[in-house]
Amino acid sequence: FTLLSIAPAEIDCEIMASFEPCRTKMEAENISESAISAFESTFNSLVSGATGIIAEDTISPVDDLIKADDLTTEPNTDLLSETVVLKLNGGLGTGMGLDKAKSLLTVKGNLTFLDLTAKQVVKMREDFKSNVKFMLMNSFSTSEDTLNFFKEKYPALAGEDGLELMQNKVPKLNAETFEPATYEPEPDNEWCPPGHGDLYAALVGSGCLESLLADGFKYMFVSNSDNLGATLDLKI
């Protein structure tokens, strides 16, 4: 969610605003119940004064952690037919002066994050001799730019069924009332993506999870679109 012009310390914890205005606004946009329920949980934490901070003295380090390099499992390429590679691609590059998907930032020569991601997918399919399913979770802010990019530069990938999983959107809140904020000149600015944790609600609410399971998929490798070092490891 987004708070407008207020610091966390200034929130009056005694304010117990109703979630109903948010629910009404989200239902009017046909947002799924799974996404509404997830946002309601976050909303209730906010108005109750919860900070989300976990005190250091309440956690302890893991005593024994297996290292990926020590795994001796033999890779089983048969599992690739049951595996989805999904890139989280909902973020705008506003912090870097962009008004489009962050993944369209040029990172090497004339290549963008999405260029290199597409090339990784193509190379992975060639190496494993398997048409590993590829998906993008886009937001309402990145969908058009991203799909146009793939149609222009990687039409084969763009034409694949189920390339895009659309991230949900949640209303921005008025910091004083916790009611949905309004901005009549540009109503789209009344909304924001709920973050990558929305993956689960988006999978369920869109029907994508049910469809993937029906098609025999069991595993999903998930990473950020700007994390080029994260690639599918068959040992894991």
Side-chain angles (χ1 to χ4, degrees):
F1 52 83
T2 295
L3 287 177
L4 306 180
S5 303
I6 190 169
E10 296 171 347
I11 296 175
D12 184 349
C13 296
E14 295 183 357
I15 297 176
M16 292 301 291
S18 170
F19 182 72
E20 286 311 303
C22 292
R23 172 177 291 279
T24 298
K25 184 167 185 171
M26 295 175 79
E27 288 177 344
E29 292 287 313
N30 295 317
I31 295 173
S32 70
E33 181 57 37
S34 60
I36 294 175
S37 295
F39 185 55
E40 182 175 14
S41 176
T42 304
F43 177 91
N44 288 338
S45 295
L46 170 69
V47 300
S48 70
T51 64
I53 296 174
I54 300 175
E56 186 173 354
D57 60 5
T58 66
I59 60 177
S60 57
V62 176
D63 294 326
D64 186 24
L65 188 64
I66 298 174
K67 296 181 179 180
D69 289 341
D70 294 337
L71 294 175
T72 58
T73 305
E74 286 295 322
N76 181 3
T77 56
D78 291 340
L79 296 178
L80 293 174
S81 62
E82 303 173 342
T83 303
V84 179
V85 172
L86 183 142
K87 285 288 186 176
L88 301 168
N89 190 53
L92 288 175
T94 51
M96 295 174 282
L98 299 177
D99 58 357
K100 56 187 177 182
K102 177 173 57 177
S103 54
L104 290 174
L105 181 70
T106 301
V107 290
K108 183 176 182 180
N110 294 322
L111 300 177
T112 66
F113 283 110
L114 284 183
D115 276 305
L116 296 172
T117 294
K119 292 180 183 297
Q120 285 179 338
V121 171
V122 172
K123 184 67 166 56
M124 177 176 58
R125 290 176 174 181
E126 292 175 350
D127 289 347
F128 294 140
K129 296 179 175 57
S130 176
N131 194 35
V132 183
K133 185 172 180 60
F134 173 59
M135 295 179 65
L136 292 157
M137 186 170 83
N138 293 328
S139 69
F140 65 91
S141 299
T142 64
S143 176
E144 183 177 359
D145 286 340
T146 298
L147 295 183
N148 285 340
F149 170 86
F150 272 90
K151 288 175 184 176
E152 179 181 345
K153 300 195 68 174
Y154 304 94
L157 288 176
E160 293 183 358
D161 183 50
L163 173 66
E164 179 179 68
L165 169 66
M166 181 62 78
Q167 188 176 7
N168 291 299
K169 61 181 183 179
V170 297
K172 295 179 181 179
L173 303 178
N174 182 300
E176 295 181 356
T177 65
F178 296 140
E179 293 184 351
T182 58
Y183 186 61
E184 294 182 2
E186 295 185 55
D188 283 349
N189 286 337
E190 297 176 5
W191 300 87
C192 62
H196 292 159
D198 181 57
L199 170 63
Y200 307 102
L203 281 169
V204 173
S206 66
C208 182
L209 177 61
E210 184 178 1
S211 177
L212 289 172
L213 291 173
D215 288 339
F217 291 100
K218 297 180 180 179
Y219 312 101
M220 178 175 284
F221 173 81
V222 181
S223 63
N224 290 350
S225 59
D226 57 353
N227 185 352
L228 298 174
T231 55
L232 182 63
D233 188 329
L234 274 178
K235 288 195 303 181
I236 296 176

